[in-house]
Amino acid sequence: MYFLPTDEQRELQRGVREVLDSAFPLEKLPGGFDAVVWSTLVETGVFSLRTELELGLVEAALVFEELGRAAVPGPLVGTFLVAGHADGATTVLEARLTPLTVAHLDVATSVLVLDSGGSRLATASDVSGVPLPEPIDPLTPLHELAAAPTGSSIGLDYTRLMNEGALLTGALQVGLAARLTELAVAYAKSREQFDRPIGSFQAVKHICADMFVRTELARASLHSAAVMLDDPEAGDGARAVAGAKLLADEAATLNSRGCTQVHGGMGFTWEVPVHYLLKRAWLQATEFGTADDHAEALAALL
Amino acid sequence: MDLRDSAAERAFRTELRDWLAKTLPALGPKPHHTDWPGRRRYDTAWQRQLFDAGYAGINWPTEYGGRGATPTEHLIFLEETERAGAPYVGVNFVGLLHAGPTIATEGTPEQKAAHLPKILTGEEIWCQGFSEPSAGSDLASMRTRAVRDGDHYVVNGHKIWTSHAEVADYCELLVRTDPDAPKHKGITWLMMAMDSPGLEVRPLNTLLGSSEFSEVFFDNVRIPVSNRVGEENDGWRVTMVTLSFERGTAWVDQIVDSVRLVADLAAIAKKVTTHAGVAWEDRGLRRDIAHLGAEFDALWALTKRGVTEAGSGVPGASASVLKLRYTEARQRLMDLGARVLDRAAVSRTDIAGLPTGEWTTERLNSLSYTIAAGTSQIQRNIIGERILGLPKERG
Ligand SMILES: Cc1cc2nc3c(=O)[nH]c(=O)nc-3n(C[C@H](O)[C@H](O)[C@H](O)COP(=O)(O)OP(=O)(O)OC[C@H]3O[C@@H](n4cnc5c(N)ncnc54)[C@H](O)[C@@H]3O)c2cc1C
């Protein structure tokens, strides 16, 4: 056993972080989907890790943590899932969702319809929906559809797609949770009240420590699930993925609250970017299964 | 211990209910939350109606134009108006709950005559200029400076988080008049006209995408010395009078509202059907809703205890306990709402025939409850140190 990223895996993750730190720092976030950043990600091979670089879900999870940490807007998961089957940005429509809603329809070329009765690929321009006037995440436009579109089968298994999607969405959540911890810690060190940094008050220090602990737990769970999906002999991937998405959602949503709280009044403003991460976390908590869905799935395996 | 209305309380409740039933249907539609002039018109028109019916300043002494109601009647008033869906105190909040009571307690006869009647009729709107960029939890470290120049104070500095500053006529303003004194000793409480020259109000955008509060900049703003409430450098004590009002009754309508929201959530859960089935049939979810039902019922009971304590002059622990527990329970309620609504919770407007607009917007709004009016961490410090007598944290 060696349950740490290898040097190559660390290198990959560091490379993606460097690209995003310069191409998409938090100051750029309010602009939403950025076509230039998207092309950079495509060229870097973020979506074709598996198909062109012959890497696995472990590497994908590490890379998606970075995408989450930078809160990159766009149809990230779908584009990764269809690599090798379709070119271009691909958004996911989970046919089981009520109300039936899909993200980033306007920038996608394809829609991957995840349907237990048969997953399929539709052309985005053929799919019509009504845009939601105020989606929770201002950087993720949503459309409501009357019915799931038809399309052509690409022969991918529904359960496998759902597991991989949950894993990658979980990775985005872990990335958010980590960034929220970083932001809270930095603020707690610099903001002073009562003539000392607020981080010196145990009440604040403990919020930050809990955020860190949640992230570490979720990340270990996530990496473990990634290993098991890559190598079924390593363990029960389905059970591990359910636990990973559940803990990642918990880390991202609770860390959103913690980070807002540490920022005091500043945390309630639009100017401070914390709310963008919080809203993304709330949205992603409804994608590829909620924590309740995954708790049920896990319960069924106990 | 008795939880039933006395004969007089019952009569008061009945009379109020009748009046609400008669008055509310004639009210116009609520303005959009970004329409500030509209909000001011709506809130002040309601205040005028309360005044004409003898319900304005329900707990204010009759000598200042109030009704002089007992704390229990005040509670009944807040309970009944909230249950009936009457407008919230809105932009009248600071005037009725902070500035007015402070002026009534600490002001001169001239100050009372100039402001209290107008606050009661809704003619005069107030805001609170306490917090500063570097003085939030540590309010006493505020630095906005006032220097005496004849019969005026000349004010320079910067306030932040001033709610309703855009529509207010007056501001209850804390300034530093003695920079050399210990920090609690050099502060003065002033009434400032919001149209004073040298004053600039810059709205701040909240994470809701609307401007509920502003930054206020002072460039040699002149305030008459006659607008000082209390003695020079005695503003901290005057402030404590104000804050004790805020931490008392400020949450009553929200707790009544939360009890309603728990019932609403149960009804919504019976309606929401997802791939996992009907939400209400999920035992875990149903029990969590019930658990919050128990908490809000208990918070309502605690509110009544606080009101009885206030009425009998017993210094109680209820205010901090209520603020801390209510605000955190409210956040958990809104998170639970999102669990019930499932994917519908991603919309800030109503979708799928569900009240997602109210729930998702309030979920965001509730993030401020554990920050505004003393953060949860500060409330815990107060409970630990002032109520339990634990030693202070060392720096
Ligand atoms: C919606 C809203 C409306 C408001 N309206 C008004 C208004 O009308 N007028 C007005 O004057 N102000 C208003 N405020 C300001 C409010 O009172 C302050 O935001 C609040 O007191 C916290 O101060 P701060 O924002 O500077 O946070 P900080 O004091 O910087 O706090 C940051 C973090 O440090 C923690 N912390 C600070 N000190 C300690 C300590 N000693 N021990 C443990 N933890 C500590 C806090 O709990 C918080 O988590 C409003 C705020 C909000 C959010």
Side-chain angles (χ1 to χ4, degrees):
Chain A
M1 191 199 71
Y2 181 81
F3 189 49
L4 274 176
T6 62
D7 288 346
E8 291 78 13
Q9 288 167 340
R10 279 183 211 282
E11 200 55 41
L12 172 72
Q13 194 173 26
R14 194 175 316 126
V16 175
R17 177 173 299 203
E18 279 166 12
V19 167
L20 288 172
D21 277 346
S22 74
F24 200 63
L26 282 185
E27 301 79 71
K28 274 201 163 182
L29 192 54
F33 180 83
D34 185 319
V36 176
V37 173
W38 189 265
S39 324
T40 310
L41 293 175
V42 171
E43 283 154 27
T44 316
V46 158
F47 304 112
S48 51
L49 282 177
R50 233 186 343 196
T51 46
E52 283 174 26
L53 304 176
E54 294 183 354
L55 297 169
L57 287 170
V58 171
E59 285 80 8
L62 294 172
V63 167
F64 270 66
E65 268 179 68
E66 293 306 319
L67 300 174
R69 181 180 171 277
V72 176
L76 302 161
V77 174
T79 306
F80 179 92
L81 291 178
V82 301
H85 298 273
D87 288 328
T90 301
T91 187
V92 170
L93 173 66
E94 293 177 58
R96 66 177 188 173
L97 287 180
T98 8
L100 191 61
T101 37
V102 63
H104 292 296
L105 188 59
D106 35 7
V107 301
T109 47
S110 308
V111 177
L112 172 62
V113 184
L114 288 183
D115 188 335
S116 54
S119 296
R120 51 196 187 265
L121 207 56
T123 306
S125 54
D126 294 345
V127 178
S128 61
V130 183
L132 297 192
E134 273 188 275
I136 182 63
D137 172 7
L139 308 181
T140 307
L142 295 171
H143 282 77
E144 188 180 6
L145 310 185
T150 53
S152 45
S153 169
I154 46 171
L156 291 172
D157 176 59
Y158 173 74
T159 306
R160 183 184 144 188
L161 287 170
M162 283 301 284
N163 279 338
E164 293 184 359
L167 180 88
L168 296 175
T169 308
L172 295 173
Q173 296 285 62
V174 169
L176 280 177
R179 190 59 170 270
L180 287 158
T181 310
E182 282 175 46
L183 291 173
V185 169
Y187 193 75
K189 285 178 182 171
S190 64
R191 168 72 173 169
E192 292 192 4
Q193 285 291 273
F194 303 97
D195 301 318
R196 71 202 68 155
I198 56 168
S200 68
F201 299 118
Q202 290 198 355
V204 172
K205 197 179 297 173
H206 291 182
I207 293 176
C208 295
D210 284 339
M211 291 171 74
F212 176 76
V213 169
R214 270 183 221 117
T215 313
E216 287 297 300
L217 191 74
R219 185 181 280 133
S221 172
L222 177 81
H223 291 177
S224 175
V227 172
M228 290 178 195
L229 288 188
D230 276 342
D231 171 14
E233 280 177 24
D236 181 351
R239 173 175 172 160
V241 166
K245 175 64 164 56
L246 189 161
L247 292 172
D249 284 344
E250 184 178 280
T253 54
L254 292 179
N255 284 9
S256 299
R257 285 205 175 279
C259 190
T260 306
Q261 188 66 25
V262 167
H263 280 76
M266 291 312 288
F268 196 64
T269 62
W270 191 275
E271 276 68 26
V272 170
V274 176
H275 72 100
Y276 289 113
L277 310 196
L278 171 136
K279 291 165 180 171
R280 186 72 53 79
W282 285 3
L283 172 68
Q284 286 173 173
T286 69
E287 296 179 335
F288 288 97
T290 62
D292 281 328
D293 290 328
H294 288 291
E296 282 295 340
L298 213 149
L301 296 168
L302 291 176
Chain B
M1 277 189 261
D2 182 4
L3 282 168
R4 279 184 302 175
D5 286 345
S6 68
E9 287 160 358
R10 200 173 323 119
F12 176 77
R13 195 188 289 277
T14 311
E15 178 205 303
L16 175 61
R17 266 190 197 165
D18 291 347
W19 181 75
L20 287 168
K22 201 169 68 201
T23 315
L24 289 178
L27 277 189
K30 263 196 186 130
H32 191 260
H33 68 94
T34 54
D35 173 14
W36 278 103
R39 279 174 69 172
R40 179 178 167 140
R41 264 195 312 276
Y42 185 82
D43 294 349
T44 55
W46 171 244
Q47 183 60 28
R48 179 74 214 195
Q49 278 188 294
L50 286 174
F51 180 81
D52 290 340
Y55 290 116
I58 191 93
N59 61 329
W60 289 24
T62 44
E63 50 181 314
Y64 307 129
R67 185 169 176 125
T70 64
T72 307
E73 285 168 342
H74 187 203
L75 183 79
I76 292 171
F77 173 79
L78 293 168
E79 181 187 6
E80 292 297 329
T81 45
E82 182 62 41
R83 287 220 172 122
Y88 174 62
V89 55
V91 301
N92 301 297
F93 182 85
V94 173
L96 283 171
L97 280 90
H98 294 211
T102 306
I103 295 168
T105 319
E106 300 285 328
T108 63
E110 294 75 27
Q111 290 169 341
K112 292 176 192 173
H115 298 287
L116 299 182
K118 288 186 177 170
I119 290 175
L120 286 177
T121 52
E123 284 164 87
E124 201 172 273
I125 298 305
W126 282 67
C127 63
Q128 182 190 60
F130 284 11
S131 306
E132 296 182 8
S134 60
S137 296
D138 185 12
L139 181 60
S141 71
M142 41 134 304
R143 290 196 289 231
T144 292
R145 184 82 171 91
V147 179
R148 247 329 240 280
D149 178 23
D151 52 6
H152 281 78
Y153 287 105
V154 180
V155 179
N156 282 288
H158 179 185
K159 295 285 174 181
I160 193 169
W161 318 126
T162 318
S163 302
H164 306 156
E166 286 170 88
V167 290
D169 305 300
Y170 273 88
C171 176
E172 46 167 353
L173 182 68
L174 288 184
V175 292
R176 183 155 304 280
T177 32
D178 183 353
D180 301 321
K183 63 182 183 179
H184 295 90
K185 299 265 160 70
I187 294 172
T188 300
W189 202 104
L190 298 176
M191 309 187 290
M192 175 181 69
M194 289 299 284
D195 59 2
S196 305
L199 194 68
E200 193 200 338
V201 175
R202 275 187 226 159
L204 271 170
N205 218 350
T206 68
L207 55 69
L208 290 163
S210 60
S211 63
E212 288 293 317
F213 43 39
S214 298
E215 285 187 272
V216 182
F217 296 87
F218 302 80
D219 180 13
N220 289 318
V221 174
R222 296 180 72 83
I223 302 175
V225 172
S226 58
N227 280 12
R228 188 184 71 214
V229 174
E231 294 304 310
E232 187 168 287
N233 296 328
D234 194 28
W236 187 255
R237 189 190 56 77
V238 176
T239 304
M240 288 301 116
V241 173
T242 314
L243 290 182
S244 66
F245 284 100
E246 181 169 36
R247 286 175 184 154
T249 48
W251 307 100
V252 173
D253 39 6
Q254 302 235 32
I255 289 168
V256 174
D257 181 52
S258 300
V259 173
R260 168 188 69 87
L261 283 174
V262 171
D264 282 2
L265 189 56
I268 293 168
K270 287 171 189 165
K271 209 170 130 185
V272 168
T273 312
T274 67
H275 62 274
V278 178
W280 188 250
E281 276 156 27
D282 178 329
R283 280 172 64 170
L285 214 47
R286 198 168 65 213
R287 288 174 183 186
D288 284 349
I289 296 173
H291 195 115
L292 275 164
E295 278 189 57
F296 285 113
D297 287 352
L299 285 162
W300 181 229
L302 195 62
T303 304
K304 293 178 184 164
R305 168 141 301 164
V307 164
T308 303
E309 280 171 353
S312 22
V314 182
S318 340
S320 281
V321 174
L322 253 175
K323 161 79 165 87
L324 178 67
R325 195 61 194 250
Y326 159 67
T327 55
E328 298 191 350
R330 179 87 171 192
Q331 291 180 345
R332 277 185 285 120
L333 175 63
M334 300 326 293
D335 279 348
L336 193 57
R339 271 175 72 198
V340 169
L341 289 168
D342 200 83
R343 180 68 170 182
V346 301
S347 178
R348 282 188 56 192
T349 49
D350 288 355
I351 187 172
L354 297 166
T356 46
E358 179 188 6
W359 280 84
T360 306
T361 301
E362 181 56 20
R363 190 182 184 202
L364 287 170
N365 196 31
S366 70
L367 286 157
S368 71
Y369 298 173
T370 51
I371 297 166
T375 68
S376 287
Q377 289 67 42
I378 295 296
Q379 300 302 336
R380 287 191 173 86
N381 287 349
I382 290 173
I383 292 168
E385 292 165 14
R386 293 195 210 147
I387 300 176
L388 302 178
L390 291 164
K392 283 197 177 209
E393 187 161 21
R394 289 166 60 182

